[in-house]
């Protein structure tokens, strides 16, 4: 299915919950949607399961997730999986295409391609004892790389993020900063000098993502990078908190400038993206979004860490 067809299926298909993913701060359910013989696995996050945050209005995280997908698409990208708002067994919430293998205990063998075994009663759905896609520590770079590395995050992050002993990030890597990983050990946090990761850094700057962790980086079938968990974004204050600072202060790529120019036009009053975002974020947040795009285009460089908000999430998973 095309992304548009997946989005339509997510919005209108019969939604069946198979279990709750443990380890998440909010209620997150593994589910499937099915209609007219088409089926796909998905994540369902009901608004009723959102934990209150001190700096974001209650009941708004699902809308922000959908808004991030809208902005990503307006920038010409597919980094954020198809995402919609819809009704579900536990009320309205966000529904997003599942990326990656089926979680253990969730059902049938074909769930990672849209199946999940037999449908279960919603009230009887069991907890699925997994932490993915919230994040794990992986093996990372092969041992013959010659460096003491341990990758940080989800499946895609195993190849894109690492902790390095020493001061040199090494060829093909970008330094983020030093982290105290043990009482007697400090390591250098690095990320890959990867074009898709760089596009994600620009998207995060646009949406003001306050929580870009390694566990939010996943690998789609075919190996493409996908990014999830954008509920704490679009704040009016500068809250950019990310692991992707390796390009800070460097000129934006021509591709990034073109993407920003396109989304700038679509965010203009009356523009298609502005119209869709009007029901997902507040008018002041939409105005702040426009200002961030304008500022990025004017500066022509990746933003630098700044303000009182911590620049890097920790732990990084």
């Amino acid at each position: 299915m095309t992304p548009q067809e997946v989005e339509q299926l997510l919005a209108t298909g019969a939604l069946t919950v198979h279990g709750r993913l443990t380890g998440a701060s909010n209620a997150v359910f593994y589910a499937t949607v099915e209609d007219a013989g088409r089926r796909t696995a998905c994540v369902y996050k009901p608004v009723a399961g959102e934990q209150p945050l001190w700096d974001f209005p209650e009941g708004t995280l699902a809308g922000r997730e959908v808004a991030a997908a809208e902005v990503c698409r307006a920038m010409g990208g597919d980094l954020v999986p198809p995402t919609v708002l819809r009704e579900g067994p536990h009320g309205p919430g966000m529904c997003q295409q599942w990326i990656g293998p089926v979680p253990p205990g969730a059902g049938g063998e074909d769930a990672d391609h849209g199946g999940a075994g037999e449908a279960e009663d919603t009230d009887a759905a069991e907890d699925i004892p997994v932490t993915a896609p919230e994040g794990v520590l992986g093996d990372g770079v092969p041992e013959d790389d010659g460096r003491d590395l341990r990758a940080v995050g989800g499946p895609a992050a195993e190849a894109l993020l690492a902790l390095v002993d020493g001061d040199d990030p090494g060829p093909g890597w970008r330094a983020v900063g030093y982290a105290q990983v043990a009482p007697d050990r400090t390591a250098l946090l690095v990320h890959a000098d990867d074009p898709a990761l760089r596009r994600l850094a620009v998207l995060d700057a646009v949406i003001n993502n306050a929580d870009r962790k390694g566990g939010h980086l996943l690998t789609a079938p075919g190996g493409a990078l996908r990014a999830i968990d954008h509920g704490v974004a679009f704040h009016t204050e500068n809250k950019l908190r990310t692991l992707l600072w390796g390009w800070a202060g460097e000129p934006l790529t021509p591709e990034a400038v073109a993407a920003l120019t396109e989304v700038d036009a679509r965010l203009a009053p009356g523009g298609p993206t502005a119209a869709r975002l009007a029901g997902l974020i507040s008018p002041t947040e939409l105005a702040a979004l426009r200002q961030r795009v304008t500022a990025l285009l004017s500066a022509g460089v990746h933003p630098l860490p700044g303000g009182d908000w911590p620049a890097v999430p920790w732990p990084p998973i």
Side-chain angles (χ1 to χ4, degrees):
M1 291 183 285
T2 66
Q4 293 75 21
E5 289 171 334
V6 172
E7 186 176 296
Q8 181 64 28
L9 179 59
L10 291 171
T12 61
L15 178 63
T16 302
V17 168
H18 298 275
R20 179 173 177 173
L21 301 182
T22 59
S25 56
N26 300 308
V28 181
F29 295 93
Y30 177 83
T32 53
V33 287
E34 186 171 7
D35 183 48
R38 288 186 167 184
R39 193 183 195 206
T40 190
C42 61
V43 170
Y44 165 52
K45 297 183 182 180
V47 173
E50 296 178 4
Q51 296 297 316
L53 299 174
W54 68 270
D55 52 347
F56 284 83
E58 290 189 30
T60 65
L61 304 189
R64 296 172 194 279
E65 294 243 34
V66 180
E70 290 284 352
V71 171
C72 180
R73 183 166 54 187
M75 294 176 67
D78 57 1
L79 289 166
V80 181
T83 313
V84 302
L85 277 179
R86 63 163 293 163
E87 286 289 334
H90 301 296
M94 181 277 283
C95 192
Q96 183 178 80
Q97 184 181 31
W98 177 268
I99 301 297
V102 58
E109 296 179 355
D110 64 337
D112 53 331
H113 299 291
E118 296 181 359
E120 300 179 19
D121 182 78
T122 300
D123 295 330
E126 298 179 355
D127 282 352
I128 299 171
V130 295
T131 54
E134 300 301 324
V136 294
L137 291 178
D139 293 330
V141 175
E143 293 181 2
D144 63 1
D145 185 78
R147 298 180 293 163
D148 180 15
L149 295 175
R150 184 172 65 175
V152 181
E158 293 182 10
L160 297 174
L161 299 166
L163 293 168
V164 183
D165 284 335
D167 301 322
D168 182 10
W173 294 83
R174 294 276 182 151
V176 177
Y178 293 95
Q180 193 75 34
V181 296
D184 60 346
R185 182 190 174 203
T186 299
L188 182 65
L189 179 64
V190 301
H191 65 67
D193 193 2
D194 179 82
L197 208 60
R198 189 167 189 171
R199 289 193 292 272
L200 182 59
V202 176
L203 174 64
D204 283 343
V206 168
I207 68 173
N208 197 17
N209 190 356
D211 193 32
R212 172 59 69 211
K213 295 180 179 178
H216 302 163
L217 306 179
L218 305 177
T219 305
L225 175 66
R226 294 293 182 266
I228 62 170
D229 285 356
H230 301 97
V232 286
F234 296 100
H235 204 284
T236 57
E237 300 175 9
N238 179 16
K239 290 184 178 287
L240 183 58
R241 188 171 67 156
T242 175
L243 297 177
L244 307 180
W245 289 114
W247 299 283
E250 293 191 10
L252 296 169
T253 64
E255 177 191 16
V257 172
L260 290 168
T261 301
E262 178 66 20
V263 76
D264 185 52
R266 291 175 172 269
L267 285 171
T273 302
R276 286 192 284 269
L277 294 183
L280 300 171
I281 59 177
S282 73
T284 55
E285 289 166 344
L286 179 54
L289 170 61
R290 292 189 181 109
Q291 292 171 1
R292 286 193 298 273
V293 173
T294 300
L296 283 167
L297 283 170
S298 177
V301 298
H302 288 266
L304 294 164
D308 298 327
W309 188 251
V312 177
W314 199 262
I317 58 173

